[in-house]
Amino acid sequence: MAKFGLSQPLRRIEDPRLLKGGGRYTDDIAVKSGAAHGVVLRSPHAAARILSIDTAAALEVPGVLAVITAREWAEEGLGEIPCVIPLKNSDGTDRAQTPRGALAEDRVRFVGDPVAFIVAETPQAARDGAEAVMVDYDVLPSATDLATAHEPGASLVWDEVGSNVAFDWETGDKEKAEALVQQAAHVTRLTVVNNRVIVASMEGRAAIAEYDAAAEKFTLTCGTQGSWLVKNLLAGNVFKVAPEKIRVITPDVGGGFGMKLYLYAEYALVCMAARRLGRPVKWTSERTEAFQSDTHGRDNITLGELAVDKDGRFLALRTRNYANMGAYLSTFAPMIPTMAGTKVLASVYNFQVIHARVIGVLTNTVPVDAYRGAGRPESNYVVERLIDAAAREVGIDRVEIRRRNMVASSAMPYVSAMGQRYDSGEFARVLDAALAKADWAGFPARRAASEARGLKRGIGLAYYLEATGGGPTERAEVRFAADGFAEVLVGTQSTGQGHETAYAMLTSNELGIPMDRIRIIQGDSDEIPTGGGTGGARSLYSEGQAILLTTATVIEKGKQAASEHLEAAVSDIEFTPGGFGEGKGGKFAVVGTDRGVGILELAAIQKARAAKGEPATLLDAAEVAEIKSHTFPNGCHVAEVEIEPDTGLITVPRYIVVDDVGHAVNPMIVRGQVHGGVAQGIGQAVHERTAYDKESGQLLSASFMDYALPRAEDLPDIEVDLIEVPCETNPLGVKGAGEAGAVGSPPAMMNALVDALSTVGVNHIDMPATPETVWKAIAEAQAA
């Protein structure tokens, strides 16, 4: 299948299994006989004191086995669901603490806050039991509006904090930025909203827990983006046991996008209940429950200032970002708008200085954490919107002002104003390719044709730069199984990206083993001792390096084994990866002779010798790669939109992407990843609105009846070209591609909308630009 090696657009090898219904997701797993089912009773109020919880009637419901509240949680001495990110405020003090048990004890802080866990023989009995739990609430005023929650006098989410500011953090040279702003020929100021989005993965969250009393060990099966984080937090923070007492198994996962990284209360609750009852316990989220309990994404209000000199060259960038944290600080939440988001504020441009301030705001809403891109889309958004606004204000073409300020390829390696070292990049080349592909020069004719049909047409571009992230190490293991397959055990977790195909391609390329004889294994924290999981677009360049190290060790061990088998010196053994007979893979041979042995055959011979107790050098190997540098994928998005002025209806007739993700191991998978990211970005830009009632704090968009995910008919034919500028900091030359589409698409869409609306006097509009919002903007401009 992979006879042409890497860089081939191979169809994903996992797709036939998944498309034919062969996927095995958490809720598909048949639990053992005697398994119980859990239901979470959630707060109907955004803010309230819990005066009492009466569980007596619930315990009388037929089939109900237990009702767990914060009291039972405390009786077992269990710990908190932690935020793992320490953060210093700009004055040197620590960020606020928002301690969170699995169940609310004396106060609820958002609609959906878990209050009790009801376990019963059947899901219906558990639901009936939940309805019978009597909770006496003293309802309090809530704060759900990010724009006002941080102000003095707002209702407090946490009395102990004393305000709704969880942290006030800054980075960059404040004094130099102020000086350059004062000296600038022009300063563009713009406030943009990065709207809250609900992740809505195709597969909802679910969990199954079992407890082995004799071994005092939990086994948790759930959809994660890496079993090891959940395992370590459960062991160290919740149950306070040795890590080996927790096993986390992740089967197939139907979408994650950051939301499935974390330890959720439900995962701890099923474990506690399984130990308490001595039987397996299963919980499966319903869709509205997911809207109210899965972490949300984005939700920023950012004030940006761009200072330019008389020639339109960028001097300084200043941002003040109000970032909604929700009611509790989620696992990585403080890092997303701070360290993760601000490091790409310089993007691909020559700023002299940047200063960024981030205010984390607590509100009575679902906690907010990483969502595809994790801070980087938000930063790229404000930069690209500011640049378009500056171009209009100073009278420089928006393409020209970007080109004038781009870092030249000759400047590589380049250290940005945010201290990031870009190892490679040809930004002007990528920009030119995107403009050519989009026929930028021919747009006036297309606009005129749209005008003739009564439509407003706009074109917008956004150049983005991503900075990938993740753990400092990654592990891979290659084992030769008894059935003749090579098994590759990896520390990342596929949630739909095509990891099985990419890793099989790499392994096949190095060892010459046909892809149909390679089996990728992931997600079991007992079988795979360590792993960094999937997040920050890290998987291919991190796991890829581990696979390269491991396959190199396999080859070295194979040379030793071949020398024994072929009775030759190790120095006389050479390995050729390609084509030693169908099904046999690469070949070890004695130099200058026709004597050799295939890698799969050799592995089987050595396994057989070892099984007989004979001396044997096994080819199995495992290595941990140190990930010394992350990557900076970048690219240019060009969107064209048409607007029907009488209704505000938006269509997207063309969408162009030209990306530099370094060496594309499988261009087909890369394009698929970009398509998905662009779909999510278009959704955020013009469809998805998360609405809370300001008085009651109720989530008004808590189902697909009220939350508008884009449909197939809403999306254009997304054209993607790849310009490969190999990364210099990893041996594969790859740059992370998984999040890139979601980074460039929102500003490209919104810049196109503003371009279309500028003909009627609208120079700014915020996401989500729904038809109602667009219609109102047109009406207000015409009235003025």
Side-chain angles (χ1 to χ4, degrees):
M1 186 184 295
K3 62 181 179 178
F4 300 112
L6 302 183
S7 303
Q8 300 302 309
L10 299 182
R11 292 185 180 274
R12 304 192 326 175
I13 60 176
E14 55 266 63
D15 282 354
R17 172 177 65 88
L18 298 173
L19 292 171
K20 293 176 183 178
R24 188 170 181 264
Y25 301 89
T26 302
D27 192 54
D28 295 330
I29 296 171
V31 293
K32 297 176 181 177
S33 60
H37 299 266
V39 164
V40 179
L41 177 66
R42 301 184 182 277
S43 169
H45 305 293
R49 293 186 185 91
I50 299 175
L51 301 180
S52 65
I53 302 177
D54 186 348
T55 63
L59 290 168
E60 295 298 320
V61 172
V64 170
L65 301 170
V67 180
I68 297 169
T69 67
R71 182 177 64 183
E72 286 76 25
W73 184 265
E75 286 173 355
E76 295 202 11
L78 303 182
E80 298 173 0
I81 309 296
C83 171
V84 301
I85 302 299
L87 194 73
K88 292 289 186 183
N89 294 311
S90 55
D91 63 4
T93 60
D94 292 327
R95 63 160 174 80
Q97 298 291 336
T98 59
R100 186 180 189 186
L103 297 164
E105 183 174 3
D106 57 0
R107 188 160 169 176
V108 292
R109 292 182 167 85
F110 68 95
V111 174
D113 210 351
V115 174
F117 190 57
I118 298 86
V119 187
E121 297 285 359
T122 66
Q124 186 58 54
R127 285 190 285 268
D128 293 342
E131 290 184 4
V133 176
M134 303 299 294
V135 185
D136 187 9
Y137 293 103
D138 175 21
V139 179
L140 301 171
S142 60
T144 57
D145 181 15
L146 173 61
T148 59
H150 59 88
E151 296 177 350
S155 300
L156 295 182
V157 181
W158 288 84
D159 293 338
E160 300 88 337
V161 175
S163 76
N164 287 332
V165 174
F167 55 84
D168 190 337
W169 178 92
E170 64 181 345
T171 187
D173 191 328
K174 183 176 182 179
E175 288 72 24
K176 184 177 179 181
E178 172 64 24
L180 286 176
V181 167
Q182 293 300 323
Q183 299 167 18
H186 179 81
V187 179
T188 292
R189 294 178 173 88
L190 187 68
T191 298
V192 296
V193 172
N194 214 287
N195 48 311
R196 176 183 287 238
V197 291
I198 291 168
V199 179
S201 58
M202 187 175 292
E203 179 209 15
R205 289 189 299 113
I208 304 167
E210 301 172 64
Y211 183 69
D212 184 336
E216 298 181 330
K217 182 169 183 174
F218 297 94
T219 297
L220 172 67
T221 301
C222 59
T224 78
Q225 290 177 223
S227 297
W228 301 271
L229 176 67
V230 174
K231 166 196 171 95
N232 292 334
L233 295 181
L234 275 175
N237 294 81
V238 177
F239 291 102
K240 301 169 187 175
V241 297
E244 59 267 22
K245 295 297 183 181
I246 305 280
R247 179 187 186 187
V248 177
I249 300 172
T250 300
D252 287 321
V253 181
F257 312 113
M259 179 268 289
K260 290 181 182 170
L261 275 167
Y262 319 116
L263 171 62
Y264 285 91
E266 297 87 1
Y267 303 164
L269 287 167
V270 291
C271 289
M272 176 198 178
R275 182 171 70 176
R276 195 177 182 93
L277 297 174
R279 58 198 294 184
V281 176
K282 182 177 184 178
W283 167 82
T284 300
S285 174
E286 296 181 354
R287 185 58 68 176
T288 291
E289 184 178 19
F291 274 60
Q292 295 179 342
S293 63
D294 297 349
T295 58
H296 291 178
R298 311 293 190 240
D299 208 351
N300 293 180
I301 299 174
T302 308
L303 291 71
E305 293 179 301
L306 174 58
V308 301
D309 68 11
K310 62 181 178 59
D311 297 317
R313 298 193 182 276
F314 299 164
L315 300 174
L317 173 68
R318 293 198 301 194
T319 62
R320 183 164 79 251
N321 180 19
Y322 294 91
N324 200 338
M325 296 287 102
Y328 302 89
L329 295 178
S330 180
T331 308
F332 298 122
M335 182 182 72
I336 305 309
T338 57
M339 291 90 81
T342 60
K343 66 182 178 181
V344 298
L345 277 172
S347 188
V348 298
Y349 305 111
N350 271 307
F351 291 100
Q352 291 187 30
V353 66
I354 295 176
H355 178 259
R357 180 183 174 195
V358 182
I359 299 101
V361 182
L362 298 168
T363 60
N364 293 111
T365 63
V366 175
V368 177
D369 211 316
Y371 172 65
R372 198 171 193 171
R376 283 91 76 189
E378 296 92 315
S379 290
N380 275 274
Y381 183 73
V382 68
V383 170
E384 289 299 306
R385 293 295 305 278
L386 267 171
I387 292 173
D388 258 30
R392 286 193 300 273
E393 292 174 4
V394 302
I396 300 177
D397 178 77
R398 50 191 162 153
V399 173
E400 172 57 27
I401 198 170
R402 286 175 169 85
R403 194 191 313 278
R404 194 173 295 181
N405 287 283
M406 279 181 165
V407 177
S409 58
S410 60
M412 300 297 166
Y414 174 84
V415 178
S416 77
M418 293 309 296
Q420 301 296 306
R421 184 182 185 275
Y422 305 163
D423 65 279
S424 59
E426 297 183 16
F427 309 137
R429 175 187 170 199
V430 172
L431 172 66
D432 289 342
L435 296 175
K437 187 174 181 66
D439 185 21
W440 186 273
F443 174 73
R446 297 193 295 277
R447 170 174 268 172
S450 295
E451 289 282 355
R453 292 183 289 117
L455 303 176
K456 301 295 181 184
R457 192 175 185 118
I459 190 169
L461 75 124
Y463 205 107
Y464 78 89
L465 178 122
E466 233 268 86
T468 59
T473 62
E474 195 50 80
R475 180 184 186 276
E477 180 177 353
V478 173
R479 298 190 308 212
F480 291 88
D483 61 0
F485 276 73
E487 296 179 337
V488 183
L489 289 76
V490 298
T492 56
Q493 179 64 51
S494 175
T495 61
Q497 299 93 332
H499 287 181
E500 292 180 41
T501 303
Y503 298 159
M505 289 177 71
L506 285 177
T507 306
S508 179
N509 188 69
E510 296 302 309
L511 300 181
I513 300 172
M515 286 179 62
D516 58 8
R517 301 292 296 277
I518 296 171
R519 182 184 297 128
I520 307 299
I521 298 174
Q522 58 185 347
D524 187 333
S525 67
D526 269 13
E527 192 165 12
I528 305 165
T530 63
T534 291
R538 71 183 292 271
S539 292
L540 184 57
Y541 74 86
S542 297
E543 192 65 62
Q545 291 183 67
I547 288 173
L548 291 183
L549 279 179
T550 305
T551 52
T553 301
V554 168
I555 292 169
E556 289 306 307
K557 296 180 77 173
K559 289 180 178 179
Q560 178 62 45
S563 75
E564 298 164 5
H565 177 70
L566 299 171
E567 297 180 339
V570 173
S571 59
D572 289 335
I573 301 294
E574 66 177 1
F575 177 72
T576 304
F580 181 61
E582 184 177 352
K584 292 187 178 181
K587 176 183 179 180
F588 293 95
V590 180
V591 175
T593 75
D594 59 358
R595 296 169 56 221
V597 60
I599 187 171
L600 291 177
E601 181 185 356
L602 179 62
I605 290 169
Q606 298 302 93
K607 289 271 187 181
R609 286 176 177 170
K612 296 175 184 177
E614 299 175 3
T617 300
L618 300 181
L619 275 62
D620 297 0
E623 297 288 351
V624 175
E626 182 181 355
I627 312 304
K628 298 179 180 179
S629 300
H630 297 294
T631 68
F632 296 92
N634 62 90
C636 186
H637 290 225
V638 179
E640 285 191 41
V641 300
E642 280 187 330
I643 299 170
E644 188 177 90
D646 292 338
T647 64
L649 184 66
I650 302 162
T651 56
V652 189
R654 292 200 75 198
Y655 200 98
I656 306 299
V657 181
V658 176
D659 270 337
D660 165 22
V661 295
H663 175 214
V665 171
N666 186 324
M668 183 181 292
I669 289 180
V670 172
R671 288 186 172 90
Q673 286 286 286
V674 174
H675 288 169
V678 170
Q680 286 178 300
I682 291 175
Q684 182 184 5
V686 299
H687 294 284
E688 300 178 44
R689 179 174 178 237
T690 307
Y692 280 93
D693 182 80
K694 290 185 179 180
E695 296 299 321
S696 67
Q698 293 292 324
L699 179 59
L700 302 178
S701 53
S703 76
F704 289 136
M705 293 292 290
D706 305 295
Y707 188 83
L709 282 181
R711 302 182 182 187
E713 65 181 7
D714 298 318
L715 299 173
D717 182 11
I718 302 162
E719 302 173 54
V720 181
D721 278 357
L722 302 176
I723 290 180
E724 297 191 9
V725 182
C727 183
E728 302 287 342
T729 57
N730 67 72
L732 287 168
V734 300
K735 304 172 184 177
E739 298 177 322
V743 179
S745 44
M749 282 293 296
M750 298 306 291
N751 283 341
L753 279 171
V754 171
D755 182 57
L757 294 172
S758 64
T759 60
V760 295
V762 177
N763 290 317
H764 177 70
I765 193 167
D766 277 317
M767 300 188 292
T770 61
E772 178 188 13
T773 303
V774 171
W775 180 85
K776 285 182 177 179
I778 294 172
E780 290 171 1
Q782 290 174 338

